[in-house]
Amino acid sequence: MSNFEQFHLDFYQSNYTIDDQEEGYNNYGSNENLYGSKKSQTGDQPPASAFAPSEMILSSQSYTGQILQPVYSPNTHLGYADGFDEEPPLLEELGINFEHIWQKTLTVLNPMKPADGSIMNETDLTGPMVFCLALGATLLLAGKVHFGYVYGMSAIGCLAMHALLNLMSVPGVSHGCVASVLGYCLLPMVILSSSAVIFSLQGIPGTLLALFIIGWCSLSASKIFTSALAMEGQQLLIAYPCALLYGLFALLTVF
């Protein structure tokens, strides 16, 4: 039995004593006192607002949420209104002036009327585009689909006349001015193509009418070019290449 009791004592042997328990308790108490002292120190500290200036506190309390909002001023709206009133109309900004278009049309329709060089020297392509479309539409009504020929011959004729007029005139001329004048003078050719819808032009009356329209177009174009480019005494020299160009359009219309 002695061996068994000795084994029992050896098995449950421990180094833990009462002194260790008391030391652990004392350590716990010291930690608790330290935590309490820290808590008391933090509780004794004054709030952060105590060190802030009084102006900052008042400004933060008086904020109403209207910072950086635009102030209403009636003069601003008046300024915008005056700016819109001073802007030019949209058609004028696009270069479309119906009064000038009408004056150019009347100048073409009346070859004996003197042309205004200041108006004729403008680059206005509204009327020429309308007359080219009208010529192609009337040819289409006559059973002739020649839109490509109309625009192709117009472009080649404008380039050729531009080169010729730059050689003949001192100030020179722009491509837009040449295209505008030749396009406006295409209006009598639209009358010829409109008559081709009603009756056939392949005969003596049709040939005479086509020659008259060619002379009308070339005379109007040469008159406008001489007045716009100050080429007095050279109207016949300009009328000849113009007659060749409008003769091509007459051939499209008649045949």
Side-chain angles (χ1 to χ4, degrees), residues 28-201:
Y28 176 76
S30 62
N31 292 333
E32 185 176 3
N33 294 330
L34 181 61
Y35 175 75
S37 63
K38 289 183 178 179
K39 185 175 182 182
S40 62
Q41 289 178 3
T42 56
D44 295 334
Q45 289 180 358
S49 60
F51 298 96
S54 59
E55 293 82 6
M56 184 181 297
I57 298 174
L58 292 175
S59 62
S60 62
Q61 291 177 355
S62 62
Y63 174 71
T64 58
Q66 296 181 357
I67 296 178
L68 300 178
Q69 288 188 359
V71 181
Y72 173 77
S73 177
N75 296 327
T76 304
H77 296 281
L78 293 176
Y80 283 123
D82 295 339
F84 286 122
D85 292 338
E86 293 176 358
E87 289 185 357
L90 179 60
L91 293 178
E92 185 176 349
E93 289 184 356
L94 295 176
I96 300 175
N97 193 333
F98 289 104
E99 183 179 358
H100 290 180
I101 291 174
W102 178 246
Q103 291 180 4
K104 292 179 182 179
T105 304
L106 292 179
T107 303
V108 172
L109 293 176
N110 187 8
M112 302 303 172
K113 179 183 177 181
D116 188 0
S118 61
I119 296 177
M120 295 303 169
N121 204 15
E122 294 179 354
T123 305
D124 176 25
L125 298 179
T126 305
M129 291 297 296
V130 172
F131 295 152
C132 285
L133 288 174
L135 179 60
T138 51
L139 289 176
L140 183 62
L141 292 176
K144 303 173 184 178
V145 185
H146 293 324
F147 283 98
Y149 290 105
V150 171
Y151 286 110
M153 288 191 301
S154 299
I156 296 174
C158 289
L159 293 177
M161 287 298 300
H162 175 263
L164 181 62
L165 291 174
N166 281 328
L167 293 174
M168 295 177 63
S169 63
V170 176
V173 64
S174 62
H175 290 89
C177 179
V178 174
S180 178
V181 173
L182 293 178
Y184 273 104
C185 294
L186 201 62
L187 178 58
M189 198 62 60
V190 177
I191 300 174
L192 180 64
S193 61
S194 300
S195 62
V197 179
I198 303 174
F199 56 90
S200 177
L201 298 177

